Amino acid sequence: MPSDYRAEIEAQRPYLLRYASLQLRNREAAEDAVQETLLAAVVAEKSFAGRSQLRTWLTGILKHKIIDSIRRSSREQPLEADLSPDELDALFDASGHWREPPQDWPEQALEQKEFLQTLEKCLAALPARTSQVFLMREHLGFATAEICKELGITATHCWVLLYRARMALRECLQLNWFGTR
Amino acid sequence: MIDCKHAARLMSRAMDDRLPLWDRVRLRLHLAICDACTNARRQMQLLRRAVQRLV
């Protein structure tokens, strides 16, 4: 086995670890998923054969390892079944109108590194499960039906968690980014 | 007519699954007259694009 292949794989470790940490939060679980990915990549060198970018290929393997990890942890620690009307309802007044009407956010924020860093901080402030479901949907790109299946929750529960995540994130970004500019 | 609170939930759900016809109609009618919810929907879409840029 050519050693430069191993070196190239190893060079992707920091990127993969960042990717896994975003999804899993738990450093140990993220490192395990990356380690399993790198091992699988060494074994499967022939099936790589330069068909795609190395990073893209490794990320594809990593996604599966992340899902395995999420599946394991959701078995050990089932999702809280809390569907009560929540604090987010405080965003609206008694007649159902926004207390603070949402503003028109400038699109240029997407080009700013600091904005994405603020977003990561806002994600980290979400309850663990809420952020997990949100990232499975928006970052890993799973359909809600797949998320429900993996986590053993109902579609309604899934929609509630996604709604909570979006509303909490837009509050957080308004407060820490758009409202300060 | 639905209120903003109801519209916000429908907007979010519409990003994940196809809404039943009646909900689609109610949401569209609400968005046609509500700037705040139209902004909220754009914000959620911007949020989606932003998350895809992470890492």
Side-chain angles (χ1 to χ4, degrees):
Chain A
M1 178 171 300
S3 61
D4 53 341
Y5 173 73
R6 285 196 183 204
E8 279 175 37
I9 287 182
E10 192 55 43
Q12 297 297 325
R13 186 187 285 271
Y15 168 82
L16 295 173
L17 193 55
R18 257 181 67 66
Y19 192 101
S21 303
L22 182 68
Q23 301 291 331
L24 293 172
R25 283 201 180 184
N26 177 328
R27 178 83 189 181
E28 214 172 296
E31 279 172 356
D32 287 350
V34 171
Q35 192 58 38
E36 286 170 25
T37 299
L38 297 179
L39 279 173
V42 168
V43 173
E45 184 187 356
K46 282 207 181 69
S47 75
F48 170 59
R51 275 176 309 165
S52 56
Q53 264 205 316
L54 184 61
R55 176 177 282 186
T56 311
W57 182 65
L58 289 171
T59 307
I61 301 175
L62 179 60
K63 280 186 189 182
H64 290 286
K65 303 296 179 194
I66 289 171
I67 293 305
D68 289 344
S69 176
I70 289 173
R71 202 182 289 134
R72 275 196 303 271
S73 75
S74 67
R75 262 203 304 268
E76 284 158 19
Q77 195 186 358
L79 268 169
E80 64 279 11
D82 169 28
L83 287 174
S84 56
D86 44 278
E87 66 283 2
L88 289 176
D89 285 343
L91 296 173
F92 302 93
D93 65 22
S95 61
H97 287 102
W98 298 92
R99 284 186 201 278
E100 306 261 349
Q103 299 170 7
D104 192 8
W105 286 353
E107 296 273 320
Q108 306 91 280
L110 288 173
E111 308 303 328
Q112 289 170 278
K113 208 174 169 189
E114 297 83 5
F115 171 70
L116 297 178
Q117 284 165 351
T118 307
L119 172 59
E120 278 196 43
K121 283 187 196 138
C122 290
L123 276 165
L126 288 178
R129 286 305 192 182
T130 306
S131 127
Q132 189 158 68
V133 168
F134 178 75
L135 287 170
M136 282 176 89
R137 173 77 190 116
E138 301 285 35
H139 198 248
L140 296 177
F142 280 95
T144 47
E146 294 171 290
I147 299 173
C148 297
K149 201 178 96 204
E150 295 298 346
L151 299 181
I153 60 178
T154 63
T156 305
H157 196 173
C158 207
W159 290 325
V160 170
L161 291 174
L162 288 167
Y163 170 73
R164 280 186 193 169
R166 290 184 179 121
M167 296 297 269
L169 289 171
R170 54 160 298 277
E171 278 292 292
C172 183
L173 289 173
Q174 178 63 41
L175 203 63
N176 295 294
W177 183 267
F178 295 103
T180 64
R181 255 133 261 263
Chain B
M1 214 41 209
I2 54 173
D3 59 21
C4 297
K5 187 166 134 180
H6 192 164
R9 284 173 194 268
L10 290 181
M11 284 188 264
S12 173
R13 195 176 141 190
M15 294 178 76
D16 304 311
D17 289 283
R18 192 166 167 78
L19 291 178
L21 178 63
W22 176 228
D23 284 331
R24 287 207 302 279
V25 172
R26 293 197 290 177
L27 180 59
R28 195 170 301 170
L29 288 174
H30 181 88
L31 286 170
I33 56 154
C34 182
D35 288 342
C37 284
T38 302
N39 284 342
R41 188 166 69 154
R42 282 208 202 104
Q43 290 181 356
M44 289 192 229
Q45 285 161 350
L46 186 138
L47 183 60
R48 167 167 285 176
R49 294 208 298 285
V51 170
Q52 283 161 1
R53 289 182 182 223
L54 290 180
V55 185

